[in-house]
Amino acid sequence: RYGAATGKLEHGEEGGNDDPAVPASGKYVKVTAEQSDWSGKYLIVWDGNAHASLLSGKKDLNSTAAVTVVDGAIEASADLAAATMTVVKNGDKYSMAFADGKYFGMQHNGCLLCDEAFDLTFEYTADGVKVGGVPSGKDATYYLYANTNNGAYYRCYVEKNGQAGYALPELYKLAE
């Protein structure tokens, strides 16, 4: 289910990931509490890597950038700019855009890169951040998880908390 897009973020457009506001210096700080507004620039991190692409089942190592976490923060760099995603508030939902201008979306047991915004919710938990959405044709909310049962990649599933082999991502927000 695609939400009402406020307009695709084109390269260089205000809020796009390749705009000058994505610094080569500064820090991404781990989200450790619920946010009143999730808007901002983030890294999605799991197992020491920032993920720039979340295609369904794609095990493409070129879509990640190694990160080093020191005291709950990651130093920003030009290399991480491509892995930075922008979360934009659209009414009471959010959308998530990547550096290439594509949006993150969900399907049953998979993730999509879309040309239009996809309605998402964000919720902090002690196990990580729940990024949720309702795929087209489904009645249930699906969540983004790292799946380590058959390799290490992201997929979207109905609730998997506490099940072996599934982990919620950690989000690191660019401190401004």
Side-chain angles (χ1 to χ4, degrees):
R1 182 178 67 149
Y2 292 95
T6 57
K8 182 179 175 189
L9 296 176
E10 298 294 337
H11 291 289
E13 186 177 339
E14 173 107 14
N17 294 75
D18 59 348
D19 73 12
V22 178
S25 63
K27 290 187 185 234
Y28 294 89
V29 180
K30 184 176 179 180
V31 174
T32 59
E34 185 66 35
Q35 308 291 297
S36 59
D37 183 352
W38 287 90
S39 299
K41 296 185 183 303
Y42 293 87
L43 294 176
I44 296 175
V45 176
W46 177 78
D47 196 29
N49 289 296
H51 295 266
S53 177
L54 300 173
L55 288 173
S56 176
K58 184 172 178 131
K59 300 173 192 172
D60 180 358
L61 297 178
N62 294 323
S63 67
T64 64
V67 295
T68 302
V69 178
V70 177
D71 295 328
I74 299 167
E75 286 291 328
S77 68
D79 291 341
L80 291 178
T84 299
M85 57 138 188
T86 302
V87 173
V88 177
K89 188 168 183 140
N90 301 313
D92 63 345
K93 304 282 186 196
Y94 295 89
S95 61
M96 189 163 62
F98 290 93
D100 64 1
K102 294 286 189 180
Y103 289 90
F104 170 80
M106 296 181 172
Q107 65 183 9
H108 172 70
N109 289 350
C111 306
L112 299 170
L113 291 179
C114 306
D115 291 326
E116 297 178 19
F118 185 93
D119 286 341
L120 298 169
T121 59
F122 289 77
E123 176 188 350
Y124 174 79
T125 74
D127 295 323
V129 177
K130 291 174 78 170
V131 179
V134 179
S136 180
K138 298 294 177 186
D139 293 330
T141 298
Y142 282 60
Y143 298 97
L144 177 63
Y145 286 94
N147 179 339
T148 61
N149 291 318
N150 297 310
Y153 54 92
Y154 281 98
R155 298 294 290 261
C156 299
Y157 299 101
V158 176
E159 194 74 46
K160 292 282 187 187
N161 282 353
Q163 291 186 28
Y166 299 93
L168 290 171
E170 296 175 341
L171 294 186
Y172 286 76
K173 186 174 186 179
L174 182 63
E176 299 187 54

